[in-house]
Amino acid sequence: MDFWSSALYDDRHGFVSSYGEGVMKLLSPKEGERILDVGCGTGDLANEIDKNGASIIGIDRSTNMVQEAQNKYPHLTFHTMDVYDMDFHNEFDAVFSNATLHWITKPKKALEKLYQSLHSDGRFVVEFGGKGNVQNIRQAIEKSYQTLFPNYDRLEEPWYFPSIGEYTTLMEEAGFTVGYARYFTRPTLLDGEAGLKNWILMFAAGMLAQLNDDEKEQLVKHVEQVLKPTLYRDHQWIADYCRIQVIGYKK
Ligand code: BEZ
């Protein structure tokens, strides 16, 4: 089931691509390079990479996202594809990814595929949620869910938020030479009064699929009450994002 709405993503969560500018600078795409964008969403960063003269292929496991990317940027190449199913061999100068790898809960398997897709001297340049990412929001969802629906099955988070130590170790085990690693907090403004609600309904949709619409509404209200003292200022919600950025090389 595809829980991703490309319209909601572009309309309410445009910050995902705009915050990608930092990792784009780390990538620094060059004319003529072949680059793979893993988790391309609706294609905005792939388009930026293309503007630098590199040749880009975007993949995303959401068909909705890939269709929208293709509508927006018909001159670029996008495929619906799961990281685990990638079958590229020594093809790319760089593998790039922004705000995606925290959805990949089998990182070892993914890193093997990502490494395999680079040619030697290729680079792997990524940013995603690190240890403690959206911790307040996650705890509030868990607490509210247990309070409101004590007899329902336990929630299972679909995310992986590693520390730098953990992730760079896995990178080295996959064969990468780690050249750069950074961890930082990045409080992230969620657009408007309904920002937190929109975030939960979009990004926690899979985890909350067993709730009907009324139950989701109750849960969101409860989470908003719990988080108002900490994450709400001047009519805006601010999510407690933590990022890791890493660069690895295939020697
Ligand atoms: C993130 O970009 O950090 C994120 C997005 C959706 C769910 C969890 C984390």
Side-chain angles (χ1 to χ4, degrees), residues 5-24:
S5 154
S6 54
L8 261 185
Y9 186 80
D10 273 356
D11 188 31
R12 309 267 169 76
H13 305 283
F15 63 82
V16 178
S17 298
S18 40
Y19 276 125
E21 283 160 17
V23 67
M24 276 288 284

Side-chain angles (χ1 to χ4, degrees), residues 4-230:
W4 292 92
S5 154
S6 54
L8 261 185
Y9 186 80
D10 273 356
D11 188 31
R12 309 267 169 76
H13 305 283
F15 63 82
V16 178
S17 298
S18 40
Y19 276 125
E21 283 160 17
V23 67
M24 276 288 284
K25 281 206 182 106
L26 287 182
L27 173 67
S28 179
K30 313 265 180 324
E31 177 108 34
E33 283 189 322
R34 276 175 61 76
I35 299 182
L36 178 69
D37 179 2
V38 176
C40 59
T42 58
D44 293 347
L45 294 179
N47 186 47
E48 291 305 312
I49 292 169
D50 172 76
K51 282 188 199 162
N52 283 274
S55 153
I56 181 84
I57 294 182
I59 64 164
D60 202 292
R61 69 179 169 201
S62 161
T63 308
N64 293 341
M65 291 294 194
V66 167
Q67 278 171 354
E68 184 56 19
Q70 204 67 77
N71 286 342
K72 281 163 74 177
Y73 306 111
H75 58 297
L76 302 183
T77 305
F78 299 100
H79 299 293
T80 303
M81 194 185 290
D82 206 303
V83 175
Y84 307 127
D85 299 329
M86 281 176 21
D87 198 21
F88 301 111
H89 294 263
N90 309 313
E91 282 185 45
F92 296 100
D93 297 292
V95 168
F96 169 80
S97 182
N98 176 51
T100 293
L101 295 184
H102 46 249
W103 295 99
I104 307 298
T105 52
K106 293 181 203 147
K108 208 172 153 64
K109 188 171 171 194
L111 281 164
E112 279 163 19
K113 293 282 185 178
L114 294 160
Y115 185 81
Q116 172 191 292
S117 62
L118 284 168
H119 65 58
S120 58
D121 282 337
R123 63 200 189 279
F124 171 67
V125 183
V126 301
E127 175 179 319
F128 62 103
K131 193 175 168 76
N133 193 35
V134 287
Q135 186 118 310
N136 287 307
I137 299 179
R138 287 157 56 209
Q139 282 172 349
I141 292 175
E142 178 74 35
K143 188 169 156 190
S144 302
Y145 182 86
Q146 279 173 13
T147 305
L148 293 170
F149 314 111
N151 300 322
Y152 286 18
D153 289 346
R154 280 182 65 86
L155 283 183
E156 272 190 45
E157 288 192 353
W159 306 303
Y160 168 65
F161 299 127
S163 68
I164 283 190
E166 181 180 339
Y167 202 70
T168 53
T169 302
L170 290 178
M171 285 170 66
E172 287 178 346
E173 282 169 11
F176 286 106
T177 299
V178 177
Y180 175 91
R182 177 178 171 225
Y183 176 87
F184 55 102
T185 58
R186 196 189 54 212
T188 296
L189 198 66
L190 306 178
D191 202 14
E193 292 270 354
L196 181 61
K197 174 179 176 171
N198 293 332
W199 191 97
I200 294 170
L201 295 181
M202 172 114 191
F203 294 124
M207 182 166 93
L208 302 176
Q210 71 280 24
L211 301 184
N212 63 35
D213 287 350
D214 283 349
E215 290 170 333
K216 280 185 197 150
E217 195 73 27
Q218 284 178 56
L219 181 92
V220 166
K221 283 213 157 59
H222 200 282
V223 172
E224 285 177 339
Q225 272 169 16
V226 173
L227 291 177
K228 208 148 204 175
T230 39

